[in-house]
Amino acid sequence: MPRIFGNKIMLREYVDSDYEHIRRWVNDPKIVDTLSDSFLYPHSEKQTRDFLDRAMGRDWKGFVIAHCDTEEYIGQIDFVRLDLINGFGEIGIVIGNENNHGKGYGTEALQLFMEFGFRELRLNRIELVCWEHNVKGRRAYEKAGFVQEGVRRKKRYRHGQYYDEINYGVLRSEWEGDRTE
């Protein structure tokens, strides 16, 4: 896949040197608290290496989010599910360092990734799920044009309580309409 450039960030391929950046966040409770349950248990160096090897493989469907100027790793955005027959993809995204939160990197990455999905892959729908306590993520998703489509009540247990799972989606027609306004 080619690199995709935005104003502050670029979406680029995974490279070996991303390993050290991923290792910094993959077991950081402040980062993984809002991610999937696959981060409930610590990740070993081997698990991180195996992930990176797959991400650098031919069939991976995602990008590293990096600074435009330095190409330094900020996070990653990937299709965790991609159905080209039915025209939809589900996104997973992480900004791996708290110092990079609140700078608009996630929103810009979502916008670039949606443009890639709708224009290059001819998707009709892009979706994602998020936990109700992920307030920063929800703000970025809505700012990027995602619409809350439903709630699966009290689906996730963390920190002694249950949280809702919020389902977001955006259709190509909505995305195209947002771009013409």
Side-chain angles (χ1 to χ4, degrees), residues 57-74:
R58 184 171 188 254
D59 294 329
W60 194 256
K61 306 297 187 240
F63 297 89
V64 163
I65 304 164
H67 289 280
C68 257
D69 299 332
T70 64
E71 299 183 13
E72 183 180 354
Y73 178 100
I74 295 171

Side-chain angles (χ1 to χ4, degrees), residues 24-35 39 98 159:
R24 283 189 203 122
W25 68 259
V26 75
N27 290 316
D28 181 344
K30 291 176 284 197
I31 301 297
V32 301
D33 184 56
T34 59
L35 302 180
F39 294 95
E98 273 193 308
H159 314 296

Side-chain angles (χ1 to χ4, degrees), residues 21-117:
H21 297 283
I22 296 170
R23 286 300 301 161
R24 283 189 203 122
W25 68 259
V26 75
N27 290 316
D28 181 344
K30 291 176 284 197
I31 301 297
V32 301
D33 184 56
T34 59
L35 302 180
S36 76
D37 287 340
S38 65
F39 294 95
L40 188 57
Y41 299 99
H43 278 231
S44 68
E45 291 181 9
K46 181 180 181 336
Q47 286 172 303
T48 304
R49 171 53 56 198
D50 290 348
F51 165 80
L52 187 56
D53 288 344
R54 284 191 314 275
M56 291 189 305
R58 184 171 188 254
D59 294 329
W60 194 256
K61 306 297 187 240
F63 297 89
V64 163
I65 304 164
H67 289 280
C68 257
D69 299 332
T70 64
E71 299 183 13
E72 183 180 354
Y73 178 100
I74 295 171
Q76 55 205 58
I77 187 165
D78 307 290
F79 282 115
V80 296
R81 280 188 354 189
L82 185 60
D83 183 338
L84 296 175
I85 294 171
N86 294 299
F88 79 90
E90 181 180 342
I91 292 178
I93 183 173
V94 63
I95 303 298
N97 183 324
E98 273 193 308
N99 294 331
N100 287 323
H101 291 188
K103 295 184 177 181
Y105 297 146
T107 300
E108 187 173 356
L110 286 162
Q111 291 167 337
L112 293 171
F113 201 60
M114 287 191 307
E115 182 170 2
F116 172 77

